[in-house]
Amino acid sequence: MDERIRRVYVPMTETGFYILFCLQESMHGYSITQQVKEMTGGAVVISPGTMYGTLSKMEKDGLIRLVREEEKRKVYQITDLGQEILDLEKRRIDRLYRNSKGEWCHEEK
């Protein structure tokens, strides 16, 4: 993995995390917005500007790819690189959670 990509995306913004998490299945931006809103009980609402700016950046960086267009909606899916970044972030979040509970861990980066 390119070290620049790792530095840019880890730690990840909450928005970026949810977008990559959702794109483990093919989706378009509006579907992601709705799923995130449902998953978080409305606590996280991704605006269209943030959504499409993040999708564009992630596509340019190779974390997601366009898989098709449906009625003028672009459908994206996570790439292997994106999954690698998402997995790193999930491990980081898990480590934070365990440490907050006093469950110290010594894992490799």
Side-chain angles (χ1 to χ4, degrees):
M1 170 189 318
D2 184 303
E3 190 56 35
R4 182 192 72 80
I5 293 292
R6 184 179 179 134
R7 279 194 320 269
V8 167
Y9 288 99
V10 180
M12 190 173 284
T13 65
E14 193 169 14
T15 297
F17 175 84
Y18 280 117
I19 290 171
L20 273 186
F21 184 81
C22 288
L23 287 177
Q24 291 176 101
E25 297 179 20
S26 298
M27 288 187 172
H28 54 75
Y30 181 73
S31 291
I32 296 168
T33 300
Q34 294 306 304
Q35 185 165 332
V36 169
K37 190 174 181 180
E38 184 178 321
M39 288 170 62
T40 64
V44 176
V45 178
I46 304 173
S47 71
T50 298
M51 172 63 67
Y52 296 106
T54 302
L55 288 172
S56 177
K57 179 170 178 24
M58 286 182 168
E59 183 180 23
K60 180 179 147 275
D61 289 340
L63 275 64
I64 64 172
R65 65 183 177 83
L66 177 66
V67 290
R68 67 183 175 280
E69 287 195 39
E70 295 175 353
E71 301 174 13
K72 298 184 182 181
R73 290 183 175 176
K74 293 180 178 183
V75 177
Y76 296 94
Q77 188 160 14
I78 197 168
T79 62
D80 289 342
L81 176 60
Q83 188 65 56
E84 194 176 342
I85 291 290
L86 181 61
D87 291 344
L88 279 173
E89 184 64 1
K90 285 167 43 178
R91 285 193 304 269
R92 187 187 75 80
I93 291 167
D94 186 52
R95 184 182 67 244
L96 288 171
Y97 177 76
R98 286 191 321 261
N99 287 341
S100 76
K101 298 291 184 187
E103 301 169 13
W104 314 117
C105 64
H106 303 283
E107 70 179 51
E108 295 180 30
K109 290 184 177 182

